[in-house]
Amino acid sequence: MGATAIPEYNFLRYPKGLKSWLLTQDHKRIGVMYFAAIMFFFFVGGLLAVILRTELFSNRSSFMSSDTYNQFFTLHGAIMIFLFIIPSIPAAIGNFVLPLQIGAKDVAFPRLNLASWYIYVVGAFVCLFAIVSGGVDTGWTFYTPYSTTTSTSVVSMTLGVFILGFSSIFTGLNFIVTIHKLRVPGMTWFRMPLMVWGLYATAIIQVLATPVLGITLLLLILEKLVGIGIFDPAMGGDPVLFQHFFWFYSHPAVYIMILPGMAIISELIAHFSHRHIFGYKAIAFSSLGIALVSFLVWGHHMFVSGQSELAAIVFSFLTFFVGIPSGIKVFNWMMTLYKGSIEFKTPMLYALSFLFLFTIGGLTGIFLGALPVDVHLTDTYFVVAHFHYVMMGGTVMALLGGIHYWWPKMFGRMYNEFWAKVACVIIFVGFNMTFFSQFILGTKGMPRRYHNYLDQYQPLHAFSSVGAWVLGFGFLIFMIYMIHSLMRGRPAGNNPWGVLGFEWETTSPPPPENFAKDPVLSHGPYDYDTVLIQRSDIAAQRPVGRA
Amino acid sequence: MSANAQTHHILPIRVYLAVGTALLVLTAVTVWVAGHDYGEYNLIVAMIIAAVKASLVAAYFMHLRYDNKVYLAVFVGALLFLAVFIILTMLDTLRRGDVNAIETGPIDQNAVIYQQQVIDTSHTGAMKSVDSASTHTSPAK
């Protein structure tokens, strides 16, 4: 072992005791706590999805009533969106990685950071209370007038989401100040890793948009409890106004979900191609471009809601602008791969899966942004397939890539590379089986959120359900080898991938104060053309390891 | 100036008095304006006066004018996003029916959706009721 043994003095072991964890202000521990929480909810949401797909295997009710079905798909959506995907990359991975990447000891407001985790937990419990006290059957969007008339626990669910919003705002605020104030001397804006740019753009949206969700849900609660009438036409209100409020947050929120995913992909592609990233500034600015455009396109969720045709035309036109920064990113990643020295490690496999799946998800988004096409495809499985390709094929693939990439740094241990690759391939295949069939179902007219359906859709539904089982099996393998790695994984060493970046210069896992001595910036994060680096796992196998 | 961010800027008392007077005068103007009817410009007139008052409070009482300009940028940025939200939403709520006027009216509860037609199916001799949607497609056969 010797040089590669896990260092005794690390943030996981020191300080000791449960209390030191519950009251920790260490961004790494808070990141790990967030990681545990989001993986739990990912498991719950995923289990719901597999149950739903199993029910949909047959076109008649097999083991679920229609009401239960409505509650299950609402829970799947609400848990995956609010409890898993929004906090996933920024709060879990970002919290762990961001200060390390900019050479800081911690985030700017460590107490606020801990508070955000507790607020998240409180919000999650309120949501769980809503589930056990009657459930919710509105879909994750809580559209009026149904949500104001249904007798299910809409109030407690929206209250839970309202509370979760504060956790998101705190994280965003913390990251903005951290990135502005705590970068290591010499790290100018254009020498930051692209992960940091992505988290910065995400944080701006979190701070600007999340309060609007808070207002919206508060109005909904007031409407339901007191009957203020803002969404009620009988009292001079407008139910479509709810959708404006809701999507003014929730469309930018889609970019809260995907931007940090793109940030991870920029890192993975550059590092595993061992090449200076192509078009650094273009990628950095396209993140900000996406953040900006994201605020101007919400009406494309409402083409058939009864909004004015003029608004629909303007929103459809504006929607196409999203394609420009997204395209810039994809082409720059492709150019980074070109003539790179590509290493097909598990994180890179996920990054390549992302490129493939996100491109399909993004391009089908263009179809849906086109007003006349969308009128036909609205509320069909085409939409379901589209956003799963973006959210799962995009964000979750990036998250998985990020988990595999920073896992050795987080826990100091490697996972089994063979099984990780097997799981990646199974997840990729299962994902496409599940959701590509849904594109076809959608174009054939299968409506979303239906419990029973016509006979003609049965074969494709069955195929999709089998895909969901394959996908679940892939995640089961993932779970097994990751738990195995935690128990008895091989010590990783400081820099198992042989890549650049501050986080790989410290020990794995890092000490509580991140760096043994103040880090000094000597090169950019992607300077593979000028800097020679040493992989610690290779060095360990040599009889005489280099320092 | 970055120095302004650190040192506490103290305004002379007469500036506070002047701003306070201006706010009182504008309140009087608000009351006076409320007595007149400008038709659809009522809201705009009231909002302009309110915006001037709010700007005075933010600039002098809340020291935005003398603080680091970053705060001003954040403040104006928030207003811009609010403007985006309101303008694009009004593009919907104020413009419904521009293309299809029928969409703005209430749904006619007694509207005849399908003209019930009675046609003679000669080969059976029976009378059959068919809706217009299916008679429309029948010539294509």
Side-chain angles (χ1 to χ4, degrees):
Chain A
M1 299 286 276
T4 57
I6 291 176
E8 191 57 40
Y9 181 62
N10 69 54
F11 81 98
L12 291 171
R13 291 185 193 167
Y14 186 84
K16 287 189 191 306
L18 182 67
K19 194 179 154 197
S20 76
W21 274 87
L22 293 178
L23 297 178
T24 185
Q25 290 168 28
D26 184 341
H27 68 99
K28 301 182 290 298
R29 283 191 166 187
I30 296 169
V32 170
M33 281 150 69
Y34 256 119
F35 181 62
I38 61 144
M39 287 321 273
F40 170 73
F41 284 112
F42 183 55
F43 177 74
V44 174
L47 203 61
L48 287 168
V50 172
I51 296 170
L52 283 170
R53 279 301 341 157
T54 308
E55 166 67 28
L56 286 169
F57 188 88
S58 136
N59 59 348
R60 299 278 171 266
S61 297
S62 38
F63 58 88
M64 219 183 246
S65 72
S66 293
D67 283 339
T68 321
Y69 176 82
N70 288 350
Q71 295 199 357
F72 267 52
F73 78 68
T74 301
L75 288 181
H76 166 70
I79 287 176
M80 284 299 198
I81 298 278
F82 296 115
L83 289 169
F84 164 65
I85 207 165
I86 288 180
S88 65
I89 298 177
I93 307 255
N95 241 327
F96 182 85
V97 170
L98 172 67
L100 287 171
Q101 281 199 321
I102 60 174
K105 284 194 170 72
D106 207 321
V107 290
F109 307 118
R111 285 196 178 88
L112 191 70
N113 202 14
L114 182 64
S116 93
W117 188 77
Y118 276 105
I119 290 172
Y120 171 83
V121 172
V122 170
F125 271 110
V126 176
C127 289
L128 287 176
F129 170 76
I131 294 167
V132 294
S133 69
V136 185
D137 60 351
T138 57
W140 74 278
T141 49
F142 311 115
Y143 272 10
T144 53
Y146 183 67
S147 59
T148 49
T149 48
T150 175
S151 60
T152 52
S153 308
V154 174
V155 171
S156 31
M157 193 67 176
T158 44
L159 188 67
V161 174
F162 177 79
I163 296 169
L164 286 171
F166 282 95
S167 139
S168 189
I169 294 170
F170 284 4
T171 304
L173 190 68
N174 221 335
F175 283 6
I176 290 178
V177 180
T178 306
I179 294 168
H180 271 275
K181 291 289 182 188
L182 296 185
R183 281 171 287 140
V184 77
M187 184 181 277
T188 57
W189 282 89
F190 295 115
R191 294 183 88 179
M192 297 193 310
L194 283 167
M195 177 79 185
V196 180
W197 271 103
L199 288 172
Y200 186 70
T202 311
I204 289 175
I205 308 179
Q206 281 177 312
V207 171
L208 273 174
T210 317
V212 182
L213 177 75
I215 296 163
T216 312
L217 297 178
L218 218 52
L219 285 172
L220 184 65
I221 292 171
L222 286 174
E223 175 92 26
K224 206 167 157 64
L225 294 183
V226 197
I228 54 170
I230 187 167
F231 304 129
D232 182 2
M235 298 172 76
D238 187 344
V240 178
L241 193 60
F242 176 83
Q243 297 186 28
H244 281 295
F245 268 102
F246 183 82
W247 288 114
F248 185 78
Y249 162 75
S250 292
H251 192 77
V254 173
Y255 300 101
I256 294 180
M257 304 172 205
I258 192 71
L259 271 173
M262 291 169 157
I264 290 180
I265 298 304
S266 302
E267 294 286 304
L268 297 183
I269 288 196
H271 292 315
F272 287 96
S273 302
H274 298 96
R275 233 186 129 221
H276 199 290
I277 187 125
F278 188 88
Y280 175 95
K281 283 191 180 177
I283 295 180
F285 284 124
S286 64
S287 293
L288 295 182
I290 288 177
L292 188 71
V293 177
S294 74
F295 281 96
L296 307 174
V297 300
W298 77 86
H300 67 218
H301 296 269
M302 302 163 55
F303 285 157
V304 298
S305 68
Q307 75 171 343
S308 77
E309 290 89 347
L310 183 67
I313 292 163
V314 169
F315 279 122
S316 177
F317 178 75
L318 289 172
T319 297
F320 290 115
F321 282 101
V322 182
I324 298 170
S326 311
I328 287 173
K329 280 182 188 292
V330 171
F331 285 117
N332 278 306
W333 291 328
M334 302 289 273
M335 282 308 294
T336 307
L337 290 171
Y338 180 65
K339 288 191 176 173
S341 167
I342 299 172
E343 205 175 359
F344 290 102
K345 292 288 185 187
T346 313
M348 187 59 162
L349 290 187
Y350 280 110
L352 296 176
S353 308
F354 173 99
L355 274 188
F356 185 77
L357 302 176
F358 173 75
T359 306
I360 295 178
L363 287 177
T364 49
I366 300 281
F367 300 2
L368 292 170
L371 182 51
V373 181
D374 182 77
V375 168
H376 290 277
L377 292 175
T378 293
D379 276 345
T380 67
Y381 266 60
F382 192 89
V383 178
V384 178
H386 156 69
F387 69 70
H388 279 94
Y389 262 83
V390 181
M391 294 292 102
M392 185 156 187
T395 308
V396 175
M397 290 293 161
L399 174 70
L400 287 170
I403 291 172
H404 285 88
Y405 180 58
W406 282 296
W407 182 271
K409 185 53 67 183
M410 222 180 231
F411 299 106
R413 292 179 184 279
M414 295 303 289
Y415 44 83
N416 186 307
E417 181 74 18
F418 171 77
W419 283 108
K421 281 181 181 166
V422 170
C424 178
V425 171
I426 293 176
I427 288 173
F428 182 80
V429 172
F431 173 83
N432 281 298
M433 283 174 71
T434 313
F435 293 108
F436 203 86
S437 46
Q438 297 187 4
F439 277 128
I440 305 168
L441 276 171
T443 49
K444 285 174 181 292
M446 172 69 210
R448 71 192 283 203
R449 297 179 170 175
Y450 273 37
H451 181 206
N452 299 328
Y453 50 85
L454 298 176
D455 290 344
Q456 69 222 43
Y457 301 124
Q458 212 273 331
L460 278 168
H461 264 296
F463 188 78
S464 176
S465 295
V466 172
W469 298 335
V470 174
L471 195 53
F473 181 65
F475 277 107
L476 197 67
I477 299 177
F478 165 79
M479 212 157 74
I480 293 169
Y481 70 75
M482 280 311 199
I483 290 172
H484 178 264
S485 158
L486 276 182
M487 306 283 185
R488 45 185 70 184
R490 181 167 56 81
N494 293 0
N495 190 358
W497 309 118
V499 291
L500 295 172
F502 269 139
E503 73 265 39
W504 303 106
E505 289 178 15
T506 185
T507 50
S508 311
E513 62 275 10
N514 285 355
F515 299 96
K517 53 185 178 189
D518 286 342
V520 179
L521 187 78
S522 55
H523 51 76
Y526 308 109
D527 287 346
Y528 288 99
D529 42 353
T530 51
V531 183
L532 197 66
I533 39 160
Q534 178 75 49
R535 277 171 59 165
S536 53
D537 58 338
I538 294 175
Q541 288 159 11
R542 291 182 181 172
V544 184
R546 269 200 286 171
Chain B
M1 284 291 145
S2 61
N4 280 339
Q6 267 88 46
T7 57
H8 195 74
H9 191 269
I10 298 167
L11 283 174
I13 194 92
R14 60 189 161 76
V15 176
Y16 283 114
L17 289 174
V19 174
T21 315
L23 288 173
L24 285 172
V25 170
L26 284 169
T27 308
V29 172
T30 312
V31 176
W32 178 73
V33 159
H36 296 70
D37 188 15
Y38 301 101
E40 59 186 78
Y41 294 104
N42 273 337
L43 180 73
I44 293 170
V45 171
M47 284 306 287
I48 286 173
I49 299 172
V52 172
K53 287 170 75 178
S55 312
L56 283 174
V57 171
Y60 293 96
F61 288 177
M62 299 169 84
H63 279 246
L64 210 51
R65 208 186 141 186
Y66 306 101
D67 244 326
N68 194 324
K69 292 287 174 269
V70 170
Y71 300 115
L72 186 68
V74 170
F75 186 76
V76 174
L79 288 180
L80 277 178
F81 275 90
L82 185 66
V84 165
F85 180 46
I86 292 176
I87 289 170
L88 283 177
T89 302
M90 283 167 87
L91 197 63
D92 165 28
T93 52
L94 297 183
R95 295 273 165 228
R96 288 187 192 156
D98 275 13
V99 180
N100 269 330
I102 197 169
E103 292 189 357
T104 51
I107 294 169
D108 180 3
Q109 299 291 333
N110 303 315
V112 180
I113 299 172
Y114 292 108
Q115 287 275 330
Q116 291 287 320
Q117 290 182 2
V118 179
I119 55 167
D120 175 30
T121 45
S122 53
H123 57 282
T124 58
M127 301 296 273
K128 195 176 170 189
S129 171
V130 182
D131 66 34
S132 64
S134 57
T135 51
H136 183 71
T137 53
S138 55
K141 278 192 255 182

